[in-house]
Each structure stands twice: as C-alpha cells, then as structure tokens.
Amino acid sequence: MRERDVIERLKPIATAEAARGLLDDVAVLGDLVLTHDSIAEGVHYLPADPPASVGWKLVAVNLSDLAAKGATPIAALMSLTINGDSEWEDRFLGGVAAACESYGLPLVGGDTIALPATAPRVLGLTAIGRAGAAVPSRSGGRAGDRLWLVGTLGDGAAGLAELRADPKAEGVLVEAYRRPVPQLAAGALLAPLASAMMDVSDGLLLDAARMASASKLRAEID
C-alpha cells in the first residue's frame, strides 16, 4: 500500500475530532498539538551520517510540524531501536539531548526495542506542543489566499547530493541536510494570520499540492 492508501484506510478508524480527518500533520486535543514522525536509515538519513546529527534530525523534523501550527514545544516521547552498537547509540542520544536543550523540549518517556545487528534503524518521536491563539490546518485555505514561504528551499537536498557524490563533503548545505532548523519563532508569529499552514518536508510542489487538495483548491505558483 502507498501512504495515500494507508491514510484512506485509517480514516474510518480515526474519526475523533482531534484527528482533523487525517488531513493534517498534527492532531489537536484541547489546547495540545501532537505530532509523530519517524526516520529510517537509508531513507531519511545516510548510514554514514554522524549519529549525533541523526538524533538532532529526529527532534527537528517533529518540531517542524509543531512550528507549522504555531505551537510551543512542551514534551516528547521517543521510540529507539537498539542493535548493540553502544557507541553509535550514545552519540545519537547526545544529538537528541542537544536538540532538546536547544529548543526547550523535555523528553518525558518512550520505548526501546532490540533489533538484529544487521537490521536498519527506524527511529520515532512524538512531540507535544501547546497551541497558540490559532492552529491553522492544511485544509483552511480560501480562494484568493496568497501562498507564502518561510526559509529557503533545496538546501537539504543539495547537501544530500553533495554527500552522495563525496561522503566526506562538508559545508553549509551538508549542515542544512544533517541539522535542519525548525521555524518555531516564525510559526508562532504567522499562525494567527494564516488560513492554512504546513511545513515543507517533501518539496514545494508536492506539499503545495497537498495543502491545496486538503483545502479543495488549486495553487498557482509564479
């Protein structure tokens, strides 16, 4: 099944108002905003990436979802797969700790499971935020709205391309790929003004199409 098919299959189960019809990246439960993202070895990060950067990325991609809803991070739960490489795991947790400290995110629990040594790692984190004055969804767009973008596009993809060409590559683009920065401050400022909002995790065209589809509109990009 493709991701779209899985979401359609889950919609009859996820009927609570908090699920927002599975049209968004978060759930909204009272004044809490909840999101969960996973990253997999060989898919979302390279096996040779520094473990600390993988830990940072796991936290940052979840905080990016909270940023896109104007929420303030208040807690996180982490799912950690262990395959016996103590040095890798210790450095990974150092990266998690650095990101949590940088963004004031308390880690309050989670789960660990042991995997065979040859199994690829799949790491997950649930981030919980406190809602601000507004929590714009993907589906709130209105005809005539302007499409705005915060930050620059393509830096992470360019950094990944550099590493694939040269595993020892360094520089600003490699850092953007390995240590993304969630736009928490911008999100908090924009959420009360936006009719629809989401983070750009899969590229401008695909994510703009997702937001337009959820809002039952189309987007024109000049």
Side-chain angles (χ1 to χ4, degrees), residues 1-14 22:
M1 297 176 75
R2 294 174 296 179
E3 180 181 1
R4 180 174 58 189
D5 299 325
V6 172
I7 292 172
E8 288 301 318
R9 176 63 181 86
L10 288 172
K11 282 183 178 180
I13 303 171
L22 299 185

Side-chain angles (χ1 to χ4, degrees), residues 25-48:
D25 292 326
V26 303
V28 181
L29 191 62
D31 67 343
L32 298 179
V33 180
L34 303 96
T35 186
H36 181 93
D37 261 357
S38 300
I39 60 174
E41 182 179 351
V43 179
H44 302 97
Y45 69 92
L46 299 173

